[in-house]
Amino acid sequence: MDNNNFPDIDGLLGSIRNVATPVGHAAGTTTSREAAGIQEPGNTAESCINIDAADPVWEAFMENLSSYGFRERKDERKVCMIDKDIADSLDECDIDRKCRSDVINAIVRTFITAFLPRLRTYRKKNKSLLDKNDNI
């Protein structure tokens, strides 16, 4: 029997042995997106964010999170759908015994505070018939 008919075992097991190698990609090869310097989603936070610059943001997040009491009833809440992978990731964390909703609210509150000037540029300008003077 000819050995050329069998697939390369090392190639088949490469993704099992090396978790960083996606299935279907040989270890040690780069894609055209990687060669162009385009980052793929799912990279580690260290490769995307300067950790030293993120410290004040983390401190703001922790301060916002601490404003939520443990097991307090929060009547002024709205329902919001979030992606399952985000919910699962947050459920794996135990940050000061806060619930997922409190963590998400602290994250969003920190983001809004940090980027308030930029967010203001996206503010909707609601048009109303009451704003028009030519209908008199």
Side-chain angles (χ1 to χ4, degrees):
M1 191 180 247
D2 190 60
N3 284 342
N4 293 334
N5 292 334
F6 294 107
D8 178 32
I9 296 298
D10 288 331
L12 290 173
L13 299 177
S15 63
I16 295 172
R17 290 184 187 142
N18 184 0
V19 177
T21 304
V23 176
H25 291 81
T29 62
T30 59
T31 65
S32 60
R33 291 177 63 84
E34 291 169 344
I38 300 171
Q39 291 186 353
E40 295 292 330
N43 286 347
T44 62
E46 288 81 11
S47 65
C48 300
I49 296 173
N50 179 355
I51 297 300
D52 293 333
D55 280 341
V57 177
W58 180 261
E59 294 302 320
F61 160 70
M62 291 302 289
E63 186 176 320
N64 284 325
L65 186 61
S66 69
S67 69
Y68 294 102
F70 181 69
R71 295 195 185 258
E72 284 182 2
R73 179 142 176 91
K74 294 127 182 146
D75 294 326
E76 295 293 318
R77 293 245 168 132
K78 301 278 185 182
V79 175
C80 183
M81 305 295 276
I82 61 169
D83 295 341
K84 184 180 182 337
D85 59 331
I86 294 172
D88 292 343
S89 297
L90 292 176
D91 287 344
E92 290 180 20
C93 299
D94 181 11
I95 305 173
D96 292 339
R97 298 178 57 201
K98 301 292 193 223
C99 67
R100 182 196 315 154
S101 296
D102 290 346
V103 173
I104 291 171
N105 281 323
I107 291 168
V108 174
R109 193 173 300 280
T110 304
F111 179 86
I112 290 172
T113 303
F115 295 102
L116 189 58
R118 289 185 185 179
L119 288 170
R120 282 188 177 133
T121 64
Y122 293 96
R123 193 173 200 173
K124 290 188 231 178
K125 306 280 192 267
N126 295 329
K127 295 183 180 181
S128 169
L129 291 174
L130 300 175
D131 294 332
K132 295 182 180 182
N133 287 331
D134 57 350
N135 288 343
I136 300 176

